[in-house]
Every structure is written in C-alpha cells, then in structure tokens.
Amino acid sequence: QAFLCVTSTLSMAVFRGHFVLEDLVEEMRKQSPALSFGPLQPDGHVAVQGPFPALQRLREFLLTKAKSLPEHRREGKSQQRVRGKLQEHRGAAESKNSLRVAHGEKHVVVLDTDIYRYMKSFLPKTLQGNGVVISGLTDGDITTVCIESAGRKAAAAAAHGLKAKETIENCSVELQKILRKERISFKGQSRGEKQRCRQACERLGARYPGVLLVPYDSHVDVVGNAADVFRFAEAARR
C-alpha cells in the first residue's frame, strides 16, 4: 500500500442555519476538483477522499467560511469540528480530538499518520526546529503537526517557523515516494496465536532496523521501504 490519498469525514454542522449545506458542499466540489465527495448525511457529515494537498486546501477554504460566521458561533467546539474531523478510512472509530489553529506565528502541516510516525521514529530531527515548538495531534489516518514560535522576536520566529514547516513538508514528500505499508492480519486467530504473531514480528524487527511496526489488536502494520517491507512480511507469514 502506497501513501497516496486519505479518506476524511467532515462535519458541516457548524454551518447549519447560516448556509444551505447542499449548496456549500457543491461549492466545495467546485473548489476541489481533485477530491471525491460522498453524499451529505442528515447529521451534516460528508466523506471526502483525495490527496493530502487538496484536503489541506479544502480545510483552509472551510476555515475561511467559518470565520465569516457570527462571533458566538465561531467560539468553542463548533469551530473546532469544522477544522476537520478526519476519520481513519481503514475502519477505526473517529477520534474526538481537534486542534485549535491560532493566528500569528503558528504553522500547520497535515501528514499521513504512518508517515508522521516513521518520521518521528527514524528522522526525529525533522520534527525539532530551532526556536520553535513542534507538536502533533493524531486523528486516525491524519496527524496535524503544529509549529509554534518559542518566544523569539517576530521576524526571527516567522523565519524559523517557515523553515521548520518547509523541512517537514519536504521530508513528507520524499517519504511518500519510498515508503510502503503491509498489513499482517490476525483475523481468525485465537488470543494466544495473536500474541505469538506479535512476538514474532518484534523479533523480526531486530533484523530490519529501518522498518516501523505499528501494532493493533487485529493486525500489525509494517512501514518501510518496499524491499524491507516485502521481506519482513514474507518472513512473518512463514
């Protein structure tokens, strides 16, 4: 599996009473031709699928719309929901976390969660900037990386923040080119068999130091370059 696109679920409920939601979704379609939109649900949710850059542009479009709402509607949880409830398209439940994006010296980068985890494990310096504080909020397939100034003067803070953002974005692009993911499923196995499979994967991990293992109750995801992931998966299944 390559890291090419993601499926997200957006809550449009904050706009109810201010926009005709069907018209707003149609406007979103025109603004984002690279994205595929599901039907608008009665509760205001709509599923969106496509590449990360297009999803990020859609997010900015919705934030602009949210800022046009009356002040009392833009404060609190409703505004946070419109920033994008991004749900794991491989079947996990949607997280309730959200990120408040502030104005000023703050930058946001949206990454595939497995790429973020790989970056954090093997390229940690990418997520450490001079004069900035970098944090990540994971919501299913998506991790939103926030870059904030660490008290420097405005001009210096802006420069360091932009440099950190560019470094993370460039690293993400390169990782998307080389990383692949294989899922080793535990379907149909007993609890003991699952435990033995996890232990076998952990032992194999020592032979493949460039591979990231992401364990779940029902499976283990193996993330790394194509050759290592293929060899690891074959060995694990044997």
Side-chain angles (χ1 to χ4, degrees):
Q1 178 180 351
F3 300 96
L4 299 177
C5 69
V6 68
T7 298
S8 306
T9 299
L10 304 180
S11 174
M12 311 299 294
V14 67
F15 296 112
R16 198 184 300 276
H18 296 273
F19 296 95
V20 177
L21 295 189
E22 289 80 2
D23 293 344
L24 181 57
V25 172
E26 185 59 32
E27 186 177 357
M28 290 160 56
R29 294 179 192 273
K30 293 177 180 178
Q31 288 278 341
S32 307
L35 298 175
S36 299
F37 291 79
L40 179 66
Q41 302 299 317
D43 61 0
H45 286 77
V46 60
V48 186
Q49 184 179 62
F52 280 106
L55 281 169
Q56 191 166 14
R57 288 192 293 271
L58 176 63
R59 177 180 178 277
E60 295 303 319
F61 168 75
L62 291 175
L63 283 175
T64 300
K65 287 286 187 182
K67 291 173 185 176
S68 70
L69 299 181
E71 188 67 24
H72 71 280
R73 290 301 303 275
R74 290 196 282 116
E75 297 176 349
K77 295 182 179 179
S78 292
Q79 186 188 5
Q80 294 178 1
R81 284 196 298 269
V82 75
R83 293 166 192 240
K85 287 285 191 173
L86 301 174
Q87 144 180 338
E88 187 174 3
H89 74 282
R90 292 187 287 263
E94 180 177 301
S95 168
K96 299 301 181 183
N97 293 326
S98 59
L99 177 68
R100 180 181 295 274
V101 179
H103 298 290
E105 301 307 328
K106 179 177 285 192
H107 302 279
V108 169
V109 182
V110 180
L111 302 177
D112 178 282
T113 292
D114 288 317
I115 286 180
Y116 170 75
R117 287 170 175 159
Y118 194 92
M119 196 182 296
K120 191 174 181 179
S121 296
F122 297 104
L123 301 166
K125 290 185 178 180
T126 304
L127 299 171
Q128 300 168 2
N130 180 26
V132 295
V133 176
I134 301 176
S135 59
L137 177 65
T138 295
D139 190 355
D141 269 350
I142 294 287
T143 293
T144 303
V145 178
C146 184
I147 306 162
E148 299 181 81
S149 62
R152 289 178 175 249
K153 294 181 179 180
H160 286 294
L162 286 172
K163 183 178 180 180
K165 180 175 184 286
E166 182 179 351
T167 298
I168 293 170
E169 289 176 336
N170 290 342
C171 183
S172 173
V173 169
E174 292 305 311
L175 290 178
Q176 286 184 45
K177 294 177 182 178
I178 64 173
L179 291 184
R180 296 294 182 269
K181 178 165 65 176
E182 183 80 13
R183 176 161 294 177
I184 300 174
S185 176
F186 302 149
K187 184 177 181 181
Q189 296 181 354
S190 67
R191 180 177 298 180
E193 289 171 333
K194 290 179 181 179
Q195 182 63 25
R196 286 192 291 274
C197 284
R198 291 192 188 94
Q199 291 172 348
C201 287
E202 290 172 2
R203 289 193 297 270
L204 279 171
R207 290 166 49 188
Y208 298 90
V211 164
L212 174 68
L213 300 181
V214 186
Y216 295 91
D217 290 339
S218 60
H219 62 274
V220 170
D221 283 339
V222 184
V223 182
N225 68 61
D228 282 351
V229 165
F230 176 79
R231 288 194 290 264
F232 185 102
E234 287 296 303
R237 291 190 176 104
R238 287 197 298 270

